[in-house]
Amino acid sequence: MSPPCSAARTRAVLARAALTGALAGLATAFGDYGALWLWLARWGDRARLLAQLVALEVPAGALLAVALAALALAGRRGSDLAASAIRRRGHPRLAAWAARCAPLPVVAALAPALSWVGLSVFSSARVSRAPGASWLAVLAVLALLALTWASVGFAWRWTARLPHATRGRALAWSAVGFAAYGVASKLDQHAYPNLYEPLHAALSFAGWVFAWLGVAAAWRAARPRAVSRTPRSTPGVHPFAARALALALAGTFVAGAMTRHDNLTVYAALFDARAATSHSLMPLVSRLLPATRAAPVDSAAVAAARRERERRRDAARLAGTVLRPDAHILLITIDALRADRLGAYGNERHLTPALDELAAHAVLFEHAYCAAPHSSYSLSSLMTSTYLHELVELGGPTPDATLATALRAGGYRTTAFFIRGIFHTDGPRLAQYARDAFGFERVDHGVYRAEELTDAALASLDQIVRLGSPPSLTWVHYFDVHAPYRDTSLGTSDAYRYDGDVRVVDHAIARLLAGARARLGSDVIVVVTSDHGEELRDHGGVGHGSSLYDEQARVPLIIAVPGVPARRVRDQVELIDLAPTLLGLVGVEAPVSMRGVDLRPTLLGEAQDLGPAFAAVRDEKMVVRWPYKLIADLRFDRFELYDLERDPRERDNRADAQPDRVRALRAAAYAWLDALRDEARDAAARSAAA
């Protein structure tokens, strides 16, 4: 039999729910703060962050608790009334079933979110192609609904027993709740941060529920035992007190939401994946209450930035000299290789002696960036010299012309060694390149370890020699540095195994370089780069494809051209610059669809305005004009500005300190996107006309 549902008792239950929910929000706010505060450089920002977390998460916790409590009360009251009515009609079994329908309103309210989570688990490119993926997605949604139904029923029974619990048992329950919150929070922070947003939203909600359980049990432990024996005697709450509590919480939330953009460092931190609850809450808050501080986009600045882009592109097409006509090209890419693992880029662990020796006699670009920290988009962009991540997002077609097709038209023999797994991300959108292998004449998709891949590549070069050594392009993509990391010669942690794999690949490349020179002679252009970097907890995450910090977006780039003196280039460049540069070096005209800058003047030491480097992942954009780097989420006017020369680890967000710099780089980002949008629209119009 359920307790009476008088108005006074309902207010009391909802008020208690608001208080316990607010305290649970306070617990999650301190949890988020503990995960973030060390990452902020200044104590003033740390204090402001704590205030913002409390102002946003405490009211949000109270509102969520009140909503769930109201739905639970409505469900209990409705199920009891339905059961009583059915029982009077002489259907006891049906009445018993109706009595168990109390969780229905809560489950119905959560059903859209649960469906989103369940369906999203099976929405990735690889999983969606698995047999029966659609049925598994439906089963996942049903399983989540059933789990929620059971959880709501358990929570109702648990809260009914809680007033009768001893203080010791209540404290034990409280410890279990907070421990479970800690586990959910750590899972949220460590399970591929910034990826799989539905998963993290579910973990954030579960974490708050566990925190609420801990608070509710602690509340019981703090109450006098005499009160706990008479749960129905809970005093009512005066309507004025309830309204005052609601207004106080609402005012706190609105004040926090409306001032969240006053400090851009703190504002960016509120979206950080390490702040599990805030990370899930902020997109919703920012959609409900748009930021008021951000200045409007300067259309004149955007137009000027576009004119500069076109001027640089036209100048690059006219500049440069054919240095090595018909030279062989050996393009080596190492999946997930960070630039800072090479001795040539400052690493002192002597992991890459072969690459360091190559760099000592080549042109080394200190700040090269991929178009997107995904193998599929990055390598496709390298081969086509276009920003494919953004182009396909804008509805533009994937270009047909690639480095390989242009060289084949110029009489080159082209061979590629890469695994099909590079198209793991958004494979359907890039199906043309997966199907045509970027236009290479001969392709080997074998899954080789580093030494085996080197053997296969050298055998291919032997074939080129047997054909009379016609000009050739050979692309060799090493995959050993990609997770899972295997080599344990340096240690067993992820970082040590990663470094061990880097050393293994360098040893294999040493043999490839020596073999290529022995077979093809000295007229070989050698390029070594990577498709993206790899995060090893630098900013709290792992892997790649989740952020635009340098550990993921920056790549090594070494170009060795016979007769070109060794030098280091400090200014920013992009991987999409590689294709037009190589084509220019050997005297093959670059297709008009290529958007990269021909770097031949830079290779020769001439002054060249390279313009900003751009990249994108998810909804974030990156603009680099050395030494400044802007990371922006233009949906929410969220900006991070770093001085890479003084702050190479990207810890001190200078967006508030240098607003003019932010505006200039933001204008460059909009100009870049506008140009891509025009390109996508023009291509679509040409396709429709054809």
Side-chain angles (χ1 to χ4, degrees):
M1 184 165 178
S2 62
C5 294
S6 66
R9 178 162 179 78
T10 299
R11 282 197 302 271
V13 170
L14 295 181
R16 184 184 300 174
L19 289 173
T20 54
L23 291 173
L26 185 64
T28 63
F30 276 103
D32 287 352
Y33 183 70
L36 279 182
W37 72 280
L38 281 174
W39 296 84
L40 299 183
R42 290 174 289 276
W43 278 104
D45 292 338
R46 294 171 179 176
R48 180 63 180 269
L49 173 65
L50 179 59
Q52 286 290 142
L53 288 170
V54 170
L56 293 170
E57 294 188 30
V58 169
L63 177 62
L64 181 57
V66 168
L68 292 176
L71 289 170
L73 286 173
R76 173 59 64 184
R77 182 172 178 80
S79 65
D80 286 350
L81 291 174
S84 297
I86 295 172
R87 192 176 295 110
R88 285 196 298 268
R89 293 178 178 272
H91 301 287
R93 290 187 179 180
L94 188 59
W97 183 87
R100 290 194 292 269
C101 290
L104 183 59
V106 176
V107 175
L110 296 177
L114 295 172
S115 300
W116 174 55
V117 172
L119 294 174
S120 297
V121 170
F122 296 90
S123 64
S124 68
R126 174 176 294 181
V127 177
S128 63
R129 293 195 295 268
S134 58
W135 287 105
L136 290 174
V138 173
L139 290 176
V141 172
L142 295 176
L144 286 173
L145 292 172
L147 179 62
T148 304
W149 186 289
S151 299
V152 173
F154 170 79
W156 185 270
R157 294 189 298 272
W158 182 81
T159 53
R161 295 192 189 104
L162 185 59
H164 301 282
T166 64
R167 179 167 295 180
R169 179 168 292 184
L171 287 173
W173 281 343
S174 179
V176 169
F178 284 118
Y181 162 67
V183 171
S185 180
K186 289 302 178 185
L187 283 174
D188 207 341
Q189 295 166 8
H190 286 78
Y192 296 100
N194 287 315
L195 295 175
Y196 313 117
E197 290 298 329
L199 170 65
H200 291 289
L203 285 172
S204 298
F205 176 73
W208 175 85
V209 170
F210 289 132
W212 170 84
L213 185 152
V215 167
W219 181 301
R220 158 64 194 95
R223 294 175 62 206
R225 185 173 177 80
V227 174
S228 70
R229 294 184 181 277
T230 56
R232 297 188 189 179
S233 65
T234 303
V237 176
H238 194 280
F240 176 78
R243 294 190 188 100
L245 176 64
L247 288 174
L249 291 172
T252 301
F253 182 81
V254 171
M258 299 306 292
T259 59
R260 71 193 186 281
H261 206 275
D262 289 349
N263 183 309
L264 291 176
T265 300
V266 172
Y267 183 57
L270 292 172
F271 284 87
D272 196 296
R274 287 162 294 196
T277 305
S278 177
H279 174 72
S280 297
L281 180 63
M282 285 305 297
L284 178 62
V285 171
S286 296
R287 287 186 174 93
L288 293 175
L289 297 170
T292 56
R293 175 189 165 177
V297 178
D298 187 341
S299 57
V302 173
R306 288 200 63 173
R307 288 194 296 271
E308 278 298 301
R309 284 180 57 80
E310 294 302 321
R311 183 192 63 77
R312 282 192 297 269
R313 187 180 175 204
D314 293 341
R317 286 188 176 278
L318 296 174
T321 306
V322 177
L323 300 178
R324 309 298 298 190
D326 296 332
H328 298 284
I329 300 173
L330 176 59
L331 172 59
I332 302 171
T333 55
I334 303 106
D335 205 294
L337 176 63
R338 293 168 59 127
D340 63 7
R341 282 330 194 241
L342 277 66
Y345 284 86
N347 191 287
E348 298 178 353
R349 301 187 63 200
H350 200 60
L351 300 173
T352 56
L355 293 178
D356 297 341
E357 174 66 19
L358 175 68
H361 300 88
V363 179
L364 181 146
F365 294 86
E366 295 181 352
H367 302 99
Y369 290 91
C370 62
H374 291 289
S375 297
S376 52
Y377 283 118
S378 179
L379 292 173
S380 298
S381 296
L382 184 157
M383 292 296 171
T384 60
S385 186
T386 54
Y387 303 98
L388 281 174
H389 183 280
E390 294 305 289
L391 191 61
V392 298
E393 285 290 328
L394 294 169
T398 52
D400 295 325
T402 68
L403 173 64
T405 61
L407 286 173
R408 287 180 67 180
Y412 270 67
R413 307 301 297 266
T414 60
T415 306
F417 297 86
F418 66 93
I419 66 170
R420 297 184 185 276
I422 66 169
F423 294 104
H424 169 66
T425 300
D426 266 354
R429 287 182 167 184
L430 304 172
Q432 171 186 349
Y433 304 128
R435 181 179 62 252
D436 299 337
F438 300 113
F440 279 85
E441 178 183 6
R442 178 175 175 267
V443 182
D444 187 337
H445 291 307
V447 181
Y448 299 115
R449 301 298 295 271
E451 294 295 342
E452 298 168 336
L453 179 56
T454 296
D455 291 338
L458 291 176
S460 174
L461 294 180
D462 288 335
Q463 178 66 19
I464 294 293
V465 172
R466 285 193 292 271
L467 293 174
S469 295
S472 64
L473 165 65
T474 303
W475 172 35
V476 185
H477 184 70
Y478 288 90
F479 202 72
D480 300 66
V481 181
H482 192 284
Y485 321 123
R486 296 180 176 87
D487 187 88
T488 58
S489 60
L490 300 175
T492 57
S493 70
D494 281 351
Y496 281 131
R497 286 187 286 120
Y498 177 86
D499 289 349
D501 287 339
V502 170
R503 192 167 65 172
V504 167
V505 170
D506 180 81
H507 184 270
I509 289 175
R511 195 159 60 87
L512 176 61
L513 293 175
R517 292 180 180 124
R519 289 163 172 79
L520 302 178
S522 61
D523 200 16
V524 181
I525 298 172
V526 178
V527 178
V528 176
T529 187
S530 176
D531 51 355
H532 51 73
E534 187 82 344
E535 185 171 1
L536 299 167
R537 298 292 176 192
D538 304 71
H539 285 86
V542 294
H544 51 267
S546 58
S547 82
L548 293 170
Y549 297 115
D550 266 18
E551 60 267 13
Q552 292 196 39
R554 182 185 173 209
V555 296
L557 179 57
I558 301 167
I559 303 179
V561 182
V564 174
R567 60 190 304 268
R568 301 176 73 93
V569 178
R570 187 186 64 172
D571 289 342
Q572 68 286 332
V573 295
E574 304 170 289
L575 283 189
I576 70 164
D577 299 334
L578 192 53
T581 301
L582 291 175
L583 293 172
L585 286 172
V586 299
V588 174
E589 185 177 357
V592 294
S593 60
M594 291 189 172
R595 292 292 176 262
V597 173
D598 186 340
L599 299 175
R600 280 179 291 168
T602 297
L603 290 173
L604 294 174
E606 301 173 8
Q608 185 177 11
D609 183 3
L610 299 174
F614 300 95
V617 64
R618 299 180 298 117
D619 294 302
E620 292 184 346
K621 320 299 177 192
M622 180 204 78
V623 187
V624 176
R625 183 179 273 281
W626 178 260
Y628 292 100
K629 175 179 182 178
L630 181 73
I631 299 175
D633 187 334
L634 301 176
R635 300 172 304 165
F636 305 132
D637 283 322
R638 174 166 60 90
F639 305 108
E640 299 174 61
L641 178 70
Y642 298 103
D643 183 339
L644 296 176
E645 190 167 34
R646 297 183 178 182
D647 179 29
R649 298 174 66 196
E650 298 169 277
R651 295 293 183 86
D652 186 10
N653 184 359
R654 306 298 295 167
D656 275 309
Q658 301 186 43
D660 291 341
R661 186 82 58 184
V662 171
R663 281 193 289 270
L665 293 178
R666 182 176 70 156
Y670 274 108
W672 171 60
L673 292 173
D674 286 349
L676 289 174
R677 193 173 290 108
D678 290 348
E679 181 180 339
R681 184 172 55 249
D682 293 344
R686 289 194 300 270
S687 177

